[in-house]
Amino acid sequence: MATLSRSLGPWMLWGLGVGYVISGMYFGWNLGLPLGGTLGMAIATIGAILLYITFTFSYAELACAIPRAGGVFDYATRGLNRDWGFVAGVAQLIEFLFAPPAIAAAIGAYFHLFLPGVGAKEIGVVAYVLFTALNIYGVRAAAGFELAVTIVAVLELLLFCGVTFPHFSWKNIEHNAFPHGWVGVCASVPFAVWFFLGLEGLANVAEEAVKPKRNIPLGFGSALATLIVLCVIVYLASIGVGGWEAIVYPSPGADASDSPLPLALSRITGTGGLVYHLLVTIGLMGLIASFHGIILAAGRATLEFGRVRYLPAALGRVNERRQTPVNALVLNMVIGIVALLSGRTDQIVTISVLGAVTLYIFGMVTVLALRRKEPELERPYRAPGYPVTPVVALVIGLACLVALVWLNIILSVIYISILGLAYIWFHFFVKRRIAYEQSDSNR
């Protein structure tokens, strides 16, 4: 079986955990403000924080007990059955394959501020090629780069808050705070989840972690604590400068922006000052950290499908020299570029969040199922507050899924169709091939 090298210590795991997610502080979340307003989006975000606290502390139990690159795919296959494991794995792939195109679009939007003659999507394609190449080069180099850009991104967010908070006004928070009532809260859910989406990717590198039974829980906990603090201060600092409309629409009647932080800064510094350009330039580090990190996690998820031959076996190979899943990374890049060129950011975000919420539901069901099915399984780390913790995460996850489907019918049909077509492939082709090979080996 293809093997990955163990080279990720606690600091690198923290860097990956924060790096996967930190782009959610830079863009995407502001697209929920026209739907929920300041208060509606805040309520949805509090729900998302509770979801991630209960989910990550429960999911870490699975990552420590079954440290495999496939994440929820491996957990659900063992805790439920092969069919449900496949569905959970496809949902994970959808999350990891659709999140990078949305981030690539934001990278393009940020660069477009400085290079107006170059299209944002073209810049996104170049980013895909560059960071896929870095991931192919080696996991230690990739994780080291991730740690460096994540530290810079965190410092930049703190600097952004330092510049904007002196201009904070509570009146801007209260302005048009609840425009669509509780329907707006439900509509804001995917953008609140986007604040933290991707943290679960830490489980996919457990196979490459040094002392995973100790360091994976540390990585989850320290990363989540960092992200919650950043989420709260960025939310308040951005909206407090000029109201939520100021960080959604560059001008009255314009399309929603993928660059909310530069919009907030421009209210203070204008668009030509040194501070504005410095912060926007450094701000790209946050987008790059998440983009690069989720590419890394996605490669491991696709690798695991190739290992068990649910996808072509070539995708399950690890390059002997680089010890990275080259074929899986290249395929993911091609799919991501197609999504980038064909979709809108809000639609791509929503499909990615649908995959993520499905993952969360399967993950929590698996925690409960494995406790009953395999009580003797070695669990170096146990979810605190069990069974309340995974049950709370499961209930919130189901509520999020209902809200997402209810308010995004067409995108939900597309998402469910992808799951359905994948399962048809699995049931009629993969399972038959596996059954044939097993019967042939028994002869």
Side-chain angles (χ1 to χ4, degrees), residues 118-209:
V118 183
K121 289 184 178 180
E122 287 78 1
I123 294 170
V125 171
V126 172
Y128 250 112
V129 174
L130 288 176
F131 291 105
T132 298
L134 178 57
N135 272 277
I136 288 172
Y137 181 77
V139 68
R140 187 169 183 83
F145 174 83
E146 183 76 359
L147 177 61
V149 295
T150 297
I151 291 172
V152 173
V154 170
L155 293 175
E156 193 276 337
L157 287 178
L158 296 176
L159 183 58
F160 166 81
C161 292
V163 171
T164 52
F165 263 128
H167 302 270
F168 175 89
S169 171
W170 193 255
K171 290 182 180 179
N172 292 325
I173 301 293
E174 295 176 337
H175 171 69
N176 199 17
F178 209 45
H180 303 294
W182 289 98
V183 172
V185 175
C186 294
S188 301
V189 165
F191 307 102
V193 171
W194 183 255
F195 257 130
F196 301 96
L197 184 139
L199 182 58
E200 60 276 9
L202 263 185
N204 296 80
V205 297
E207 195 173 329
E208 297 164 270

Side-chain angles (χ1 to χ4, degrees), residues 419-440:
L419 287 179
L421 290 172
Y423 184 77
I424 290 171
W425 153 262
F426 175 72
H427 184 77
F428 289 102
F429 296 96
V430 175
K431 288 176 72 174
R432 286 186 179 182
R433 190 201 71 234
I434 293 172
Y436 175 80
E437 290 175 349
Q438 289 177 342
S439 63
D440 190 55

Side-chain angles (χ1 to χ4, degrees), residues 199-427:
L199 182 58
E200 60 276 9
L202 263 185
N204 296 80
V205 297
E207 195 173 329
E208 297 164 270
V210 177
K211 298 179 181 178
K213 297 173 182 179
R214 170 183 175 272
N215 290 332
I216 289 295
L218 281 176
F220 268 121
S222 59
L224 181 59
T226 302
L227 292 164
I228 290 173
V229 172
L230 292 175
C231 168
V232 173
I233 62 175
V234 168
Y235 188 83
L236 293 174
S238 300
I239 299 173
V241 169
W244 65 258
E245 292 96 337
I247 61 168
V248 175
Y249 305 112
S251 60
D255 292 334
S257 172
D258 288 333
S259 309
L261 272 59
L263 289 178
L265 278 174
S266 67
R267 308 272 302 188
I268 301 168
T269 66
T271 59
L274 176 62
V275 173
Y276 174 83
H277 286 294
L278 176 63
L279 290 177
V280 171
T281 302
I282 298 174
L284 283 166
M285 295 299 101
L287 301 178
I288 288 170
S290 292
F291 182 65
H292 170 258
I294 297 177
I295 286 175
L296 187 151
R300 275 65 188 165
T302 304
L303 168 75
E304 194 71 359
F305 259 46
R307 278 173 164 175
V308 297
R309 297 182 63 194
Y310 289 179
L311 289 174
L315 296 173
R317 295 175 188 156
V318 173
N319 182 275
E320 291 185 5
R321 182 182 176 191
R322 296 296 178 190
Q323 292 185 297
T324 54
V326 175
N327 296 336
L329 288 166
V330 171
L331 175 67
N332 291 350
M333 178 187 71
V334 172
I335 294 173
I337 289 175
V338 171
L340 169 66
L341 296 177
S342 62
R344 286 171 33 192
T345 302
D346 57 344
Q347 295 173 339
I348 296 172
V349 165
T350 299
I351 291 177
S352 179
V353 171
L354 281 165
V357 172
T358 305
L359 182 159
Y360 304 154
I361 292 169
F362 272 109
M364 296 306 93
V365 170
T366 301
V367 171
L368 298 168
L370 268 178
R371 284 285 190 111
R372 298 188 64 181
K373 183 179 179 180
E374 296 188 47
E376 76 288 348
L377 176 67
E378 182 185 357
R379 293 176 173 85
Y381 170 85
R382 289 175 173 263
Y386 180 91
V388 174
T389 312
V391 168
V392 169
L394 177 59
V395 170
I396 298 175
L398 288 169
C400 289
L401 185 61
V402 170
L404 283 164
V405 173
W406 174 40
L407 294 169
N408 299 278
I409 298 296
I410 295 176
L411 292 177
S412 297
V413 169
I414 293 172
Y415 170 70
I416 293 169
S417 298
I418 295 172
L419 287 179
L421 290 172
Y423 184 77
I424 290 171
W425 153 262
F426 175 72
H427 184 77

